[in-house]
C-alpha cells in the first residue's frame, strides 16, 4: 500500500486545466524531491517532472509541478485527448525506500 | 540513447523464486546512477522494489526486503532481480529502470516491462 495519496480520478474538457495532488508526510515528500510520471495505456511510465518542478527535455510546458510542505501538485493546462493516462508521483522515504503515489486517472471529457 | 530490456520466465510456480535480468544498452552501468526494479500488479499502481549501484550498494522496499535480492554484473552491463517464496500477489509487470540519485530523485529510463504470472 502506498504512503502517498492521490485522487483516483480527475476529468476536464479539452483545453481546460486539471491539477493532481500528492499528499505525503515529513518522512517522504517533506524532505525529498518529488517526480511525476505519465503512464499511457499498455506502456511503461514516462518521466514528466523531476526535482519538484523541472521538465525533462521534450516535455511541453503545459505540464508543471510544485511542492509545498508535505504535498505536491501536478498541473496540466490546455488538456488534450492524448493526455488521457494514469499519473503517479514518486519520492524517497526515510524507511530507505522509494515510494509512489496511488495513481490518478485523467479523463478528457 | 539508454535502453533497458527485461528478460526471464513469464510463469513462476508458487513458493518458487522469480528471477529477472535487465540488460542495459547505450550506457555503461559502471559510469554511475542507481539501477532498480519497480513492479505493477494488473490494474494497480506502481510499487518500488529496490535499487543497486555499480559498487553493489543496495536499497530494498522494507515490505519485500526479506525476499528480494538485486545484483549487478558490470561485465555484462546487466542487473538482476530475485524474489523468493512467491505467491499470486507477486503477479505483476516488472520494470527495470535507471534511477537518478540514491534517493529516487527521478526514474529517467524505463524498460518496456515483463509480465510475470505466479500460478501452478
Amino acid at each position: 500500500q502506498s504512503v502517498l495519496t492521490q485522487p483516483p480520478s480527475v476529468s476536464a474538457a479539452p483545453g481546460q486545466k486539471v491539477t493532481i495532488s500528492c499528499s505525503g508526510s515529513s518522512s517522504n515528500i517533506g524532505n525529498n524531491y518529488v517526480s511525476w510520471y505519465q503512464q499511457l495505456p499498455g506502456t511503461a511510465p514516462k518521466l514528466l517532472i523531476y526535482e519538484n518542478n523541472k521538465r525533462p527535455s521534450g516535455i511541453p510546458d503545459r505540464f508543471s509541478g510544485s511542492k509545498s510542505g508535505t504535498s505536491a501538485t501536478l498541473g496540466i493546462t490546455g488538456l488534450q485527448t492524448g493526455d488521457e493516462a494514469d499519473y503517479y508521483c514518486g519520492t524517497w522515504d526515510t524507511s530507505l525506500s522509494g515510494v509512489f503515489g496511488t495513481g490518478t486517472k485523467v479523463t478528457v471529457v | 540513447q539508454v535502453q533497458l530490456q527485461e528478460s526471464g520466465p513469464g510463469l513462476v510456480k508458487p513458493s518458487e523464486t522469480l528471477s529477472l535480468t535487465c540488460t542495459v544498452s547505450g550506457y555503461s552501468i559502471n559510469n554511475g546512477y542507481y539501477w532498480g526494479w519497480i513492479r505493477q500488479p494488473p490494474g494497480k499502481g506502481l510499487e518500488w522494489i529496490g535499487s543497486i549501484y555499480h559498487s553493489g550498494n543496495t536499497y530494498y522496499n522494507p515490505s519485500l526486503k526479506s525476499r528480494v535480492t538485486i545484483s549487478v554484473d558490470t561485465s555484462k552491463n546487466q542487473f538482476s532481480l530475485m524474489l523468493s517464496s512467491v505467491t499470486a500477489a507477486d503477479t505483476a509487470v516488472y520494470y527495470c529502470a535507471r534511477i537518478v540519485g540514491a534517493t529516487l530523485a527521478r526514474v529517467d529510463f524505463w524498460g518496456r516491462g515483463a509480465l510475470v504470472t505466479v500460478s501452478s
Side-chain angles (χ1 to χ4, degrees), chain A residues 1 8 10 14 30 33-34 36 43 55 59 66 72 77 80 87 94 96 100 104-105:
Chain A
Q1 56 277 28
V10 297
Y33 286 127
V34 176
W36 288 91
T43 69
R55 288 186 310 276
I59 300 299
S66 65
T77 59
Q80 302 176 359
Y87 293 81
T94 53
L96 298 184
F100 289 102
T104 299
K105 182 176 182 62

Side-chain angles (χ1 to χ4, degrees), chain A residues 14-88:
Chain A
Q16 297 301 303
K17 174 182 179 178
V18 295
T19 59
I20 300 170
S21 60
C22 175
S23 178
S25 70
S26 58
S27 297
N28 39 68
I29 290 178
N31 285 285
N32 291 287
Y33 286 127
V34 176
S35 52
W36 288 91
Y37 305 88
Q38 176 193 60
Q39 187 176 32
L40 297 169
T43 69
K46 172 185 174 183
L47 179 65
L48 274 185
I49 297 289
Y50 68 97
E51 292 180 7
N52 304 331
N53 55 20
K54 298 178 181 177
R55 288 186 310 276
S57 174
I59 300 299
D61 59 7
R62 300 189 299 105
F63 295 91
S64 64
S66 65
K67 179 184 128 174
S68 178
T70 60
S71 293
T73 301
L74 173 70
I76 310 174
T77 59
L79 202 60
Q80 302 176 359
T81 55
D83 297 332
E84 288 202 328
D86 294 323
Y87 293 81
Y88 295 90

Side-chain angles (χ1 to χ4, degrees), chain A residues 37 39 50 88 91-92 97-98, chain B residues 40 48 95 103-104 106-107 111:
Chain A
Y37 305 88
Q39 187 176 32
Y50 68 97
Y88 295 90
T91 189
W92 190 252
S97 171
Chain B
Q40 186 172 36
W48 190 84
Y95 296 101
T103 56
L104 195 65
R106 61 186 179 271
V107 180

